[in-house]
Amino acid sequence: MNTRTRTLLAGALVLAVVTGPAAPALASNPAAAARSGARSDEIPEAAALRAAISELPTEDATAALVRVGGSAGTWRGSAGVHDLTSNRPADPRARFRAGSVTKVFTAATALQLAGEGRLDLDRTARHYLPDLIPAAYGQVTVRQLLNHTSGIPAATGPGETIEEWYAHRFDLHTPRATVASATAKDPEFAPGRSQHYLNINYTVLGLLIEKVTGDSYAHQVSARVLRPLGLRSTSFPGTDPRIRGPHNHGYQAFGTPGGGTELRDVSVWGATDAWAAGDIISTTADLERFTTALFRGQVVRGPLLEEMFTLPDSSVRTYRTGEPAQFSAGLSVMTLGGRQVWGKTGGRWGYNSVVAATRDLSRTLVYSINSTDAKGQDVNATAMDVVVAAFGAPSAG
């Protein structure tokens, strides 16, 4: 991929990440890379997709699982290693941390409840949670939480550096304490005036789901989405920091005292800080099934589905940058290969993921990439190559 294309895509493919160090070089594993394969009904983009992952492990990723589908054809590929100790080939059926892809499940559940009349998108969050949401945020509506226009700032985290986060990786966080931490601060902007993608919006949504159902967030999503769609390998870890079931190890680059870098296995890491905004564990097969069902209107039905494909008013601009708003309810949009692509990225330490599709489902993409810079400031290089191979280059204008 040329520099111009990388720059354009990096600006369009928004990840929920924070700054992290670069990764060291890794020895290649031809046997593992050879698992990058193709089906008999190979699509024209198959060669580019194979090329995008065939050299793994590399300095930026240790494994990749990719599924391309849709009416235009399918392709499946995996490459890299299960772990850097055994160098066994990556398991294509592995489970992984899907990060902010969780938000699509949360949004879908909230919209189902709206369809049942149990949540009103135009009512305020304070109406449902008067004991938690203070008066300073009394005008924030459910819809503004869904599309990140609430103005609620981020909660206070355990630190600013990767080392500080690593030292607190097993800390337990409660959703209510997270919301209280955020709403104790001044608003970033008046509700509906700007858009700032932050986990806090979906943490509040998770609490709203619990409030109006009298049930746990995880059970509601399981009952409404996971079980009806047969997503048997998708789960919520709760307070368990492990990935239960088969999984490829995730690694993250850390700086060393001498100025170099080292990789640490970060497969075991608590996700209670993310909860309804980013704690789900899944597989590429499950996420592909979910994406297809969602876009077909089998998860959220009727007019409420359009909330997921509707951006805020054009006057709403991205907070601080002033760029056009990119997020709808649960999804985001970009133009690739001359067509609109809707989807969601996710990033947890050691893991990057995506679900994406054209509205007509002519092309779908799901991947899990075990990125050594999964919380890096820039879009992972392997991820960019896969996205462009599947959909085409971003628009220049």
Side-chain angles (χ1 to χ4, degrees):
M1 187 189 305
N2 62 41
T3 302
R4 172 64 172 163
T5 298
R6 284 191 185 278
T7 301
L8 288 168
L9 187 56
L13 191 61
V14 178
L15 300 176
V17 296
V18 296
T19 301
L26 298 176
S28 62
N29 187 328
R35 289 182 64 88
S36 170
R39 297 163 57 98
S40 58
D41 55 345
E42 189 168 88
I43 59 177
E45 299 85 356
L49 287 162
R50 274 197 300 272
I53 64 174
S54 62
E55 298 300 318
L56 299 183
T58 62
E59 63 180 16
D60 70 281
T62 59
L65 315 177
V66 182
R67 295 175 74 93
V68 174
S71 58
T74 60
W75 186 85
R76 308 285 183 263
S78 65
V81 295
H82 168 269
D83 64 90
L84 293 176
T85 302
S86 71
N87 279 329
R88 288 190 288 122
D91 181 352
R93 298 165 298 178
R95 298 174 184 180
F96 52 86
R97 301 191 190 281
S100 287
V101 171
T102 307
K103 292 182 178 70
V104 191
F105 289 82
T106 303
T109 301
L111 291 170
Q112 282 190 12
L113 290 166
E116 297 164 11
R118 301 170 79 177
L119 266 182
D120 185 335
L121 301 187
D122 294 315
R123 276 199 180 270
T124 67
R126 183 174 166 84
H127 169 81
Y128 297 102
L129 298 168
D131 61 327
L132 181 62
I133 305 299
Y137 294 96
Q139 300 306 308
V140 172
T141 67
V142 176
R143 180 178 280 106
Q144 288 164 349
L145 294 169
L146 282 164
N147 65 19
H148 300 279
T149 60
S150 70
I152 303 175
T156 301
E160 298 295 328
T161 69
I162 187 174
E163 288 288 357
E164 290 172 319
W165 278 90
Y166 184 77
H168 291 275
R169 66 193 182 281
F170 299 131
D171 288 2
L172 298 180
H173 307 266
T174 68
R176 291 183 69 88
T178 298
V179 173
S181 168
T183 56
K185 305 173 186 179
D186 292 334
E188 291 185 327
F189 48 82
R193 295 292 299 274
S194 295
Q195 185 176 77
H196 190 185
Y197 174 88
L198 289 172
N199 283 351
I200 191 63
N201 295 294
Y202 278 69
T203 303
V204 178
L205 283 169
L207 290 170
L208 290 177
I209 289 168
E210 293 193 335
K211 179 68 174 181
V212 301
T213 63
D215 193 11
S216 73
Y217 160 79
H219 185 262
Q220 280 294 306
V221 179
S222 297
R224 292 171 173 276
V225 183
L226 306 191
R227 286 201 292 272
L229 295 182
L231 308 184
R232 296 180 179 85
S233 296
T234 302
S235 62
F236 297 92
T239 59
D240 190 344
R242 294 164 292 182
I243 301 175
R244 296 288 185 174
H247 61 279
N248 300 316
H249 288 229
Y251 296 87
Q252 192 76 25
F254 288 77
T256 62
T261 54
E262 65 176 5
L263 290 182
R264 296 182 196 172
D265 190 326
V266 293
S267 307
V268 181
W269 193 309
T272 57
D273 62 297
W275 193 51
D279 72 347
I280 208 167
I281 291 170
S282 193
T283 63
T284 53
D286 272 12
L287 292 182
E288 183 179 61
R289 179 180 294 187
F290 170 64
T291 303
T292 301
L294 180 71
F295 279 50
R296 285 177 175 166
Q298 297 168 346
V299 181
V300 179
R301 294 175 171 84
L304 284 168
L305 178 60
E306 292 307 309
E307 294 283 340
M308 305 191 81
F309 298 98
T310 302
L311 297 177
D313 183 270
S314 59
S315 65
V316 176
R317 314 295 284 189
T318 300
Y319 183 57
R320 292 198 179 103
T321 69
E323 296 174 354
Q326 184 180 6
F327 292 93
S328 61
L331 300 175
S332 62
V333 65
M334 65 189 75
T335 301
L336 297 169
R339 53 189 170 173
Q340 279 195 334
V341 176
W342 292 86
K344 188 71 192 74
T345 58
R348 293 294 295 177
W349 304 108
Y351 299 89
N352 276 142
S353 59
V354 84
V355 296
T358 55
R359 185 71 193 273
D360 63 0
L361 290 174
S362 58
R363 172 55 49 85
T364 66
L365 169 67
V366 174
Y367 67 60
S368 168
I369 294 175
N370 293 56
S371 307
T372 60
D373 59 350
K375 289 286 188 177
Q377 188 174 25
D378 298 322
V379 179
N380 179 268
T382 299
M384 286 198 295
D385 289 344
V386 170
V387 169
V388 170
F391 288 109
S395 299

